[in-house]
């Protein structure tokens, strides 16, 4: 029987007309794994398109080899994908309603999922789902290696972007020897770590920095100071001229407070809708909290959305966070 990696390699070699999809509001791993797959298919001489409900984030423009990202299938015109590859999507809803509908209707003859979320139900025809993998882009790197495509140039950079994003620059508990070995291989093949980091990190607006200062003054601590959170209204972001992307990683930084086991950013996300991004330390498992509310993620980084306002979300979520914090005590 074929392993998922060899089944995917066979698919990439023998099929054509691919669509590469990742989750909405893409982070560095979603983008890195999408770009990486595109570059693999490009070197195999295949037809492919990229799709993301939220489009391509400006923050990663330096990593884009010139690929355009469709936000709707209609934008693809006459291109009819025969294989749809989902990357970094923990379930069939993460890429947005249009893709969820396509999966339900079996619009694409063949579907592939490359992912590392714990709750992934193997929703595609071919599933390369490894919850112990540090990043989806690590799995993309494995596929490139299995195809004898070296992790250099833009491909190396795309894979590296996912590794850096999901391991907090090789500092979180999911940073394993395999990840570091792949990163070392990419560096050996020419990636400049310093230049890469300047592209990724040296991009904050002054407004964003000031907003983080304001948010820091509003941190709430609860449950014997083991849970830290901030609440962000749409009005706050609008007044600062910022978007949700400017909050990226605030929750990870909140986790740095001594004694904090769980941190969270609770944010108004549209009309009567709230998004909660959580981080935790060591063996405190917040993925279970996210799944409880229909979201998902990883042991130390997870998120969910719910209807209602911030106060209602807090009331629902805090008891579950407390349970998770105490379960690991
Ligand atoms: Mn990921």
């Amino acid at each position: 029987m074929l392993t998922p990696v060899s089944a995917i390699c066979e698919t990439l070699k023998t099929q054509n007309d691919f669509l590469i999809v990742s989750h909405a509001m893409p982070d560095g791993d979603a983008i890195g794994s999408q770009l990486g797959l595109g570059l693999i298919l490009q070197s195999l001489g295949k037809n492919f398109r990229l799709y993301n409900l939220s489009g391509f984030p400006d923050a990663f423009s330096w990593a884009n080899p010139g690929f355009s990202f469709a936000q709707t299938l209609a934008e693809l015109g006459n291109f009819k994908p025969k294989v749809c590859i989902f990357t970094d999507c923990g379930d069939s809803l993460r890429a947005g309603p249009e893709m969820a509908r396509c999966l339900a209707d079996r619009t694409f003859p063949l579907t592939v999922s490359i992912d590392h979320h714990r709750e992934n139900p193997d929703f595609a025809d071919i599933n390369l789902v490894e919850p112990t993998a540090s990043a989806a882009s690590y799995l993309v790197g494995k596929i490139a290696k299995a195809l004898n495509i070296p992790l250099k140039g833009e491909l190396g950079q795309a894979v590296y972007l996912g590794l850096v994003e999901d391991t907090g620059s090789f500092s979180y508990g999911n940073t394993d020897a395999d990840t570091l070995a792949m990163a070392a291989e990419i560096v050996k093949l020419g990636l400049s770590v310093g230049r890469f980091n300047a592209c990724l990190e040296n991009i904050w607006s002054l407004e964003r920095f000031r907003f983080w200062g304001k948010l820091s003054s509003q941190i709430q601590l609860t449950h014997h100071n083991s849970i830290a959170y901030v609440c962000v209204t749409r009005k706050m972001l609008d007044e600062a001229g910022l978007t949700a992307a400017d909050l990226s990683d605030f929750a990870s930084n909140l986790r740095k407070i001594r004694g904090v086991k769980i941190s969270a950013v609770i944010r108004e996300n549209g009309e009567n809708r709230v998004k909660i991004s959580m981080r935790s330390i060591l063996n405190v498992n917040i993925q279970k909290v996210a799944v409880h509310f229909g979201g998902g993620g990883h042991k130390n980084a997870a998120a969910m959305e719910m209807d209602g306002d911030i106060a209602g979300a807090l009331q629902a979520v805090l008891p579950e966070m407390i349970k998770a914090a105490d379960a690991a005590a």
Side-chain angles (χ1 to χ4, degrees), residues 45-112:
K46 302 291 182 167
N47 294 326
F48 66 93
R49 299 286 191 281
L50 299 118
Y51 174 105
N52 197 294
L53 179 70
S54 312
F56 187 87
D58 287 343
F60 299 124
S61 56
W62 52 275
N64 192 334
F67 296 157
S68 61
F69 277 60
Q71 292 180 258
T72 63
L73 279 179
E75 286 175 47
L76 300 176
N78 290 331
F79 182 80
K80 294 277 173 270
K82 296 200 179 63
V83 184
C84 184
I85 308 178
F86 292 83
T87 174
D88 205 32
C89 290
D91 64 45
S92 60
L93 306 175
R94 294 291 167 237
E98 187 177 36
M99 282 299 137
R101 216 162 35 240
C102 287
L103 279 163
D105 297 347
R106 293 213 54 99
T107 304
F108 311 114
L110 184 65
T111 56
V112 175

Side-chain angles (χ1 to χ4, degrees), residues 144-145 148-157 181-192:
K145 283 161 67 70
N148 288 317
I149 301 171
L151 297 177
K152 65 179 187 193
E154 286 163 326
L155 174 57
Q157 180 173 265
M182 187 176 282
E185 185 176 335
I186 294 167
V187 172
K188 215 177 270 177
L189 290 172
L191 181 119
S192 160

Side-chain angles (χ1 to χ4, degrees), residues 199-215:
C199 290
L200 187 67
E201 298 284 358
N202 192 206
I203 54 160
W204 283 41
S205 63
L206 179 61
E207 291 73 22
R208 177 174 176 173
F209 211 96
R210 290 214 164 110
F211 191 73
W212 278 48
K214 179 176 165 183
L215 268 192

Side-chain angles (χ1 to χ4, degrees), residues 23 27-30 33 87-89 115-117 133-137 162 165-166 298:
H23 59 80
D27 56 14
D29 189 32
S33 53
T87 174
D88 205 32
C89 290
D115 185 43
H116 66 137
H117 290 87
S134 57
S137 84
E165 169 82 35
D166 275 15
H298 312 283

